[in-house]
Amino acid sequence: MQQTIPLSMPDLNEEDIQAVVAVLRTPQLSLGPKLPEFEQKFAAFVGTKEAVAVSNGTCALHLAMCALDIRDDDEVITTPFSFISSANCILFERAKPVFVDILPDTLCLDPSKIEAAITPRTKAILAVDVFGYLAQWEQLRALAKKHSLLLIEDSCEALGSICGKQRAGTFADCAVFAFYPNKQMTTGEGGMFVTDNADLARMVRSLRNQGRDEEDKFLVHHRLGFNYRISDINCALGLSQLSRLPDMIRQRQQVVQWYKEGLAGLAADVHVPMEQEGVDVSWFVYVVHLADRFSAENRNQLCQYLKEHGIGCNIYFPCIHLQPFYRRDFGYKKGDFPITESVADHTIALPFFSRMSQKDVAKVCETLKDGLLHFPS
Ligand SMILES: Cc1ncc(COP(=O)(O)O)c(C=O)c1O
């Protein structure tokens, strides 16, 4: 059946379109003036000294690995409950992701389990701000300091989340963001590396642009780099979106509130996302958790039902350690990370985007309610 309410949708307006068109009328489609403008305004929003825009979130993570010199047999402690690139980036440089289970409430890395995973090869902790929740940064920083480890924040899902005055992206040695169209703001494809460390930023700038140093105008390559540049077309869209980001985040928070009200009657079967104390969460997705009595099979059937009735939905996330190539190449199996696995078996991402109407939310809730009738309590 044709989906009537998609899982996600970018929030694009006429100003966004005009911003893109304006760049297309200039000869500078890449490495033009929109790049530094986007970087400076983004850094000011997040609260870091430096921001380096790149082609997507995955390559921002990859560049973080390279700039921090994480490679060959180094170990990086990270979460199995994330989008796959937060673990893959460690493999890109032949280092080893060492998974540690998550907290059942924020779904972020459990700091109490980290010390048991530290070995003489451990070089860094890479934690993810899952769905917009902030990881337990105070504890993570204390652990990193105690064991002299680097700390990396994957904030691809948490742009705008704030604790006191501190925003996602400012809690570690460096952080990354992503701007795929399902994110809080989009550049089509795009990503950002942020840090307060000028040397690190300079290295990432060089690596994104084929190993050139910034002052080089010609074909001088000082190190092995990549083409991870982002075009000025994307940056123009990013600037326009960034100017509306606080509004878009507020609209998303309104949608969360409508869901909370709409799902209140289903509380025995469907648990809504918890509110994180002290944090103003900027929501990336709206993920509900089915009660324990439901099996993964039940959850899949419910997802199928929603899709057949025009409601976009997805399983968020499947465990990284149980992905086919992680099982095959690293021998991971079911049972290795029980909390991650239980969450992954019970969660469903429902439609979520800033322009979602109250009527849309009501339709999703109604369809979910009807779908649950197939599983008598
Ligand atoms: C936690 C996390 N890390 C990394 C990425 C990768 O970003 P991109 O898709 O732009 O490469 C994503 C994207 O969804 C993500 O959610």
Side-chain angles (χ1 to χ4, degrees):
M1 186 194 173
Q2 181 89 31
Q3 271 186 15
T4 53
I5 307 181
L7 181 58
S8 73
M9 194 162 36
D11 184 337
L12 297 173
N13 69 9
E14 194 51 36
E15 279 168 37
D16 294 328
I17 293 166
Q18 289 311 321
V20 168
V21 170
V23 174
L24 292 175
R25 296 191 197 286
T26 75
Q28 280 190 293
L29 302 189
S30 190
L31 296 175
K34 293 295 169 195
L35 174 65
E37 191 186 341
F38 182 36
E39 292 178 337
Q40 281 154 23
K41 290 198 169 140
F42 192 87
F45 176 82
V46 169
T48 53
K49 289 188 182 144
E50 304 274 353
V52 185
V54 293
S55 6
N56 55 64
T58 304
C59 69
L61 283 165
H62 186 192
L63 293 182
M65 297 297 115
C66 298
L68 294 169
D69 197 28
I70 292 168
R71 59 189 163 100
D72 307 284
D73 304 324
D74 288 335
E75 292 178 3
V76 179
I77 291 174
T78 194
T79 170
F81 190 70
S82 175
F83 183 64
I84 195 156
S85 44
S86 61
N88 281 356
C89 68
I90 301 163
L91 295 174
F92 292 162
E93 291 302 310
R94 301 162 306 283
K96 184 180 167 201
V98 174
F99 294 119
V100 163
D101 215 345
I102 58 169
L103 291 164
D105 49 7
T106 62
L107 313 177
C108 298
L109 208 51
D110 182 347
S112 74
K113 299 197 172 123
I114 288 180
E115 278 194 311
I118 294 176
T119 75
R121 289 199 161 144
T122 309
K123 189 146 180 186
I125 300 171
L126 191 167
V128 179
D129 295 323
V130 175
F131 301 161
Y133 291 124
L134 293 180
Q136 279 45 54
W137 289 108
E138 212 173 301
Q139 292 166 65
L140 294 172
R141 263 205 309 267
L143 282 165
K145 191 165 177 218
K146 180 173 168 194
H147 296 277
S148 303
L149 303 175
L150 297 162
L151 193 57
I152 302 150
E153 180 176 7
D154 180 340
S155 246
C156 287
E157 303 187 354
L159 176 59
S161 289
I162 189 162
C163 175
K165 288 191 168 155
Q166 202 173 352
R167 281 202 194 274
T170 60
F171 292 96
D173 295 311
C174 60
V176 300
F177 292 93
F179 309 124
Y180 186 74
N182 62 356
K183 296 291 191 296
Q184 287 89 334
M185 62 164 263
T186 187
T187 58
E189 292 280 1
M192 194 74 82
F193 172 93
V194 297
T195 182
D196 282 338
N197 181 329
D199 292 337
L200 212 50
R202 198 171 307 115
M203 179 58 82
V204 169
R205 283 207 165 84
S206 169
L207 293 171
R208 125 185 113 176
N209 191 16
Q210 307 283 16
R212 293 174 173 107
D213 278 342
E214 278 194 279
E215 55 275 15
D216 292 331
K217 297 275 180 283
F218 299 104
L219 295 176
V220 183
H221 305 273
H222 296 271
R223 51 193 66 82
L224 178 64
F226 309 88
N227 177 359
Y228 283 168
R229 295 185 302 262
I230 180 170
S231 82
D232 266 41
I233 305 166
N234 301 86
C235 291
L237 179 54
L239 276 164
S240 179
Q241 290 262 302
L242 188 61
S243 71
R244 290 193 292 121
L245 181 62
D247 287 340
M248 293 193 289
I249 290 172
R250 262 193 299 278
Q251 281 167 303
R252 291 167 93 93
Q253 284 166 338
Q254 172 65 75
V255 175
V256 167
Q257 189 55 34
W258 287 331
Y259 264 127
K260 200 173 152 190
E261 290 157 15
L263 294 173
L266 302 180
D269 290 332
V270 178
H271 306 154
V272 299
M274 70 126 204
E275 283 162 29
Q276 188 173 17
E277 213 190 311
V279 179
D280 207 0
V281 174
S282 164
W283 296 99
F284 162 49
V285 278
Y286 191 78
V287 175
V288 294
H289 193 290
L290 298 185
D292 287 347
R293 71 181 180 86
F294 293 94
S295 65
E297 181 62 22
N298 293 157
R299 187 274 313 271
N300 296 345
Q301 287 162 348
L302 190 56
C303 254
Q304 189 55 33
Y305 178 89
L306 290 172
K307 285 180 183 163
E308 281 165 6
H309 290 78
I311 308 295
C313 61
N314 216 343
I315 294 165
Y316 252 70
F317 295 105
C319 307
I320 296 180
H321 66 285
L322 298 180
Q323 292 292 340
F325 87 96
Y326 275 83
R327 283 181 190 249
R328 188 186 62 229
D329 295 354
F330 304 101
Y332 286 115
K333 56 188 184 321
K334 233 178 170 11
D336 285 343
F337 303 102
I339 297 176
T340 295
E341 289 166 27
S342 168
V343 172
D345 281 350
H346 288 88
T347 39
I348 305 181
L350 298 177
F352 188 64
F353 41 94
S354 54
R355 291 197 183 184
M356 209 173 160
S357 66
Q358 193 164 9
K359 206 165 138 225
D360 289 337
V361 174
K363 176 154 196 296
V364 176
C365 296
E366 200 53 40
T367 315
L368 189 60
K369 188 173 165 194
D370 293 345
L372 284 165
L373 295 176
H374 292 84
F375 307 97
S377 47

